[in-house]
Amino acid sequence: MAHVERHQWDVVIIGAGGAGLRAAIEARERGLRTAVICKSLFGKAHTVMAEGGIAASMGNVNDGDNWQVHFRDTMRGGKFLNQWRMAELHAREAPDRVWELETWGALFDRTKDGRISQRNFGGHEYPRLAHVGDRTGLELIRTLQQKVVSLQQEDFKESGDYEARIKVFQECTVTRILKEDGEDGDEGGRVSGAFCYERESGRFFVLEAPAVVLATGGIGKSFKVTSNSWEYTGDGHALALLAGASLINMEFVQFHPTGMVWPPSVKGILVTESVRGDGGVLRNSEGKRFMFGYVPDVFKEKYAESEQEADGWYEDPDSNRRPPELLPRDEVARAINAEVKAGRGSPHGGVFLDVSTRMPAETIKRRLPSMHHQFRELADVDITAEPMEVGPTCHYVMGGVDVDSDTAAARGVPGLFAAGEVAGGMHGSNRLGGNSLSDLLVFGRRAGLHAAEYARACAGGRPAVGAEQVDAAAAEALRPFGEAEEPGADGPSGATGSTGASGVSRGGGRPAQNPYAVHQELQQSMNELVGIIRREEEMSEALERLGDLRERAGRATVEGHRQFNPGWHLALDLRNMLLVSECVARAALNRTESRGGHTRDDYPEMDREWRRANLVCTLKAAEGRGERAERISLRRREMPPIRKDLLELFEKEELIKYLTDEELTSE
Ligand code: FAD
């Protein structure tokens, strides 16, 4: 048995992005000893990349805004598939979370009269996104980090130890959630901690805690063209499944309409929606503003029919309707896809996004400094003088851990919580821009609060971490190094280790696999077969391929040592990406309609009968069924009816488009 260091905490937060840090601050403020663990350097999480802003109905720029309007927009954007209670809490609490950030030192851009400025974004009726140029995520993380440091300084004053009540384990990865009875997937067992490795040394350690919060972000690295960073390998989604929790809505993956398309090395990098929010327009190769031809019936009343009306809206939103470039993302992404397919695309397979003819150069540089820099440096394009070429890129996953709306507790696994992009339900079938940063703060806080309460209630009888489970997790992590050595001393320089206890044999003379090759094929398959437009045959083929890739990933082999070995890290991440991809493909195949981020070529219409359906993925043991056995099981679950007072916020004519006759008459 290997010796693995153990550390005792009350609450462990996996992830140091917006959701994780907000959860950590809350748990620590409630007096609980809190550990934060993250794959990258502290302050480097994906949230840093957020550009456009954080949505909150403060009404600073248009006082018509309030939480009810925000709730309505969010439900419309998600095509009414949202967990309505989450959408309600989010809309109600987002303004307080933004104000709170200010009190912790965030410096947002201001209006002329000194209030926090708010900008327009797709699907939001009023200017609603508080922002810091196009670098909002950086300010958010900087502020939360500063708050963590100030809490550590308080602790130092009190105890002489900065890390007495909040400690960050950076560049460390969790590979397993541990449970008290040692049975993976045992639905009854309480969470007891997390198994981790330090990326630099390869050393294993265990964080013991009765409450664990998943705040690990998204899954984009399973797709070839993505705006997401290297960290987005769906770890939290997979950790939840492996611990016995469920994932919902995994068929809903958001393809942001505007990613860079050229040069190939930067394909997928995001072009923020603020470009359109601030007046940028989309044109095809014929110079036409094509979005006027793509306004779906459900949105017709709210969007302009002519360029003149659309342009008038920026100055006078009360007398004009919104430009169709500001439709929700799924609509714009599909429109771009259709234009390119019809042969009206730009030279490199996108369309043109132009601000150069819409704003003076100085305004562009001031309002969109990162975009100006990004295009100049990466594509040699001056966006103050020429249009950008853009096309859809995999950006966000609406699906995630099935949580209780109020407490962020993962259903079925006591002690497990989830917040931020890893949690499902809040955004329904499509997220509105800006609603993620607010989601992180609202539900990060709630997760931290309820994890703290739960941990406190466990004080008398903390769940134990069994040695067998730790050994199994260590063996699983070492499997890519091969079968050569006995499990050895587990110090920082421990090199290769033992054969896996993951149940996957590498014997039988089958060749070892290169994890990079498996990853590349996975990305290609997901992009081509489960991408922006989906068909039954293609998704069935994707599931076949995923079965093969899973078997090959079981034979992925790496060389060298455990000290900073990216090939090894990828071999471990493959398990997660394959599990999550299977959930996406299986749910997408099952949902025979088009809604939000899920577009079926063979079922192009939205079907009211499907609105109340959540597709729930769980992991089922597949003993005796061979390596290619289908392990993800899928079931359909009805959502609870939307509360009456919330339904009354909508006109009946609008509800008819989404709800079934039975739902409408049952009120
Ligand atoms: P993250 O910020 O990604 O943090 C995840 C954390 O989990 C990281 O610390 C990571 O290291 C850690 N982690 C992951 N796996 C493990 C593991 N196994 N072990 C240990 N640690 C782990 N949204 C908006 O609302 N407004 C915007 O303007 C906006 N702009 C965006 C621009 C870009 C380019 C992108 C890609 C996204 C944008 N989004 C925006 C979306 C938003 O940024 C993300 O949804 C959000 O930041 C996710 O935050 P999070 O806290 O859930 O996760």
Side-chain angles (χ1 to χ4, degrees), residues 46 215-222 228-229 231-237 395-397 399 420-422 577 580:
H46 197 80
T216 48
I219 66 162
K221 277 295 165 193
S222 297
N228 290 182
S229 72
E231 289 171 271
Y232 267 25
T233 49
D235 294 9
H237 290 76
H395 184 59
Y396 185 89
V397 62
E421 194 169 337
V422 69
M577 285 187 276
V580 166

Side-chain angles (χ1 to χ4, degrees), residues 7 93 149 391:
H7 307 256
E93 294 178 9
V149 170

Side-chain angles (χ1 to χ4, degrees), residues 424-617:
M426 157 68 207
H427 306 283
S429 65
N430 174 49
R431 173 179 72 88
L432 294 186
N435 268 3
S436 172
L437 293 189
S438 38
D439 166 2
L440 308 182
L441 298 179
V442 167
F443 292 102
R445 176 186 157 276
R446 284 182 165 268
L449 166 65
H450 292 284
E453 280 178 1
Y454 175 88
R456 203 183 288 287
C458 291
R462 284 172 64 104
V465 173
E468 270 177 31
Q469 244 192 107
V470 175
D471 284 348
E476 178 187 44
L478 289 171
R479 191 207 46 75
F481 284 111
E483 302 177 358
E485 296 184 19
E486 286 300 302
D490 209 25
S493 59
T496 58
S498 76
T499 184
S502 58
V504 183
S505 157
R506 293 162 12 109
R510 288 167 300 168
Q513 295 288 319
N514 178 336
Y516 290 98
V518 176
H519 186 210
Q520 222 173 19
E521 286 181 45
L522 167 67
Q523 290 181 313
Q524 192 80 33
S525 300
M526 290 305 285
N527 232 79
E528 283 172 4
L529 304 175
V530 202
I532 182 164
I533 309 287
R534 298 163 172 176
R535 293 169 196 89
E536 182 176 339
E537 314 75 65
E538 291 183 352
M539 287 183 285
S540 301
E541 189 189 333
L543 283 164
E544 273 288 306
R545 284 201 206 170
L546 288 172
D548 278 339
L549 290 169
R550 197 167 61 231
E551 185 275 321
R552 285 172 52 197
R555 287 184 279 129
T557 306
V558 296
E559 292 185 349
H561 295 269
R562 281 159 59 183
Q563 284 92 341
F564 208 94
N565 184 337
W568 178 40
H569 303 162
L570 178 63
L572 298 180
D573 292 344
L574 278 177
R575 177 199 68 187
N576 303 333
M577 285 187 276
L578 283 159
L579 277 174
V580 166
S581 299
E582 189 179 337
C583 291
V584 174
R586 219 163 266 295
L589 180 62
N590 194 277
R591 184 175 283 273
T592 47
E593 66 153 355
S594 292
R595 183 183 294 270
H598 170 65
T599 306
R600 294 279 303 247
D601 207 28
D602 41 2
Y603 295 93
E605 302 300 323
M606 190 161 71
D607 179 347
R608 292 186 300 166
E609 295 295 334
W610 268 106
R611 190 206 63 81
R612 286 183 64 184
N614 279 140
L615 294 178
V616 183
C617 292

Side-chain angles (χ1 to χ4, degrees), residues 647-659 661 663-667:
L647 269 188
E648 283 168 0
L649 297 172
F650 298 89
E651 300 289 333
K652 193 108 182 177
E653 292 76 63
E654 182 170 14
L655 293 178
I656 289 169
K657 298 170 191 164
Y658 297 100
L659 273 55
D661 296 341
E663 286 175 278
L664 288 164
T665 49
S666 67
E667 294 160 53

